Amino acid sequence: MQYRNGQRLPLEGLTARLSVNPRARRLSIRIDARAGEAVLIAPSERKLAEVVAFARTKTDWMRERLAERPQGTPIAPGAVIDLFGRPTRLISTGGAGAARLTEDADGPLIASGGEGEAYVRRVENLFKRVARDTLQTRTDVHLRTLGQRPVRLSIADPKSRWGSCSPHNRSIRYSWRVIMAPPAVIDYLAAHEVAHLVHADHSPAYWAVVQRLVGDHRPFRKWLRENGPALHAVGR
């Protein structure tokens, strides 16, 4: 069978995605908890058949790792979802009113009208609005620090990435889901993307720019690695 980069194939009860990485020195398997699939990595396309054969000997291990991924929290009345790292309750107001963020004696809450998918859409729209306002503010702060011109900012819901920067057209795209993280992590993400306007890679010079903006970035990167899958699972 001829395999190709990016191909997805069923593998004894799980889904595997083939990936060619010319910098890879050996065949390897990575678990993408966010996407719910195993990633089979080979240094070249002609080695894909070998990594598939290797993966067939590791299906039990892959299933165990995938079973450990966090279960998604539903976006529904009664659920509790973090916002700025604080547990925030979701309640229904009945009717068709838009979602709004408020607070009572028990802490922050989101009250929204709608039922089913309409309720989900209203709550997600609120998260996106909060994400846009917050990330625009933090992005502007870091742009000023680096003496950079404004950028075009957009909010999306990618399956795995937290953000992306296109220096050539001066645009930055963020995942709205990062708004569930603590403020310092949100600020780090804005710094991470703005720094790419100076260095498009992840070289030591690039990380020096990030450190100039937020100090020691390692705790924030660690937080996203450890907690990111749970954030990506919300509502899915």
Side-chain angles (χ1 to χ4, degrees), residues 24 58 75 210 225:
K58 299 291 185 179
I75 296 177
V210 177
R225 282 196 307 271

Side-chain angles (χ1 to χ4, degrees), residues 27 42-52:
L27 306 177
S44 65
E45 199 151 283
R46 64 185 180 84
K47 291 281 189 178
L48 288 175
E50 293 182 30
V51 78
V52 171

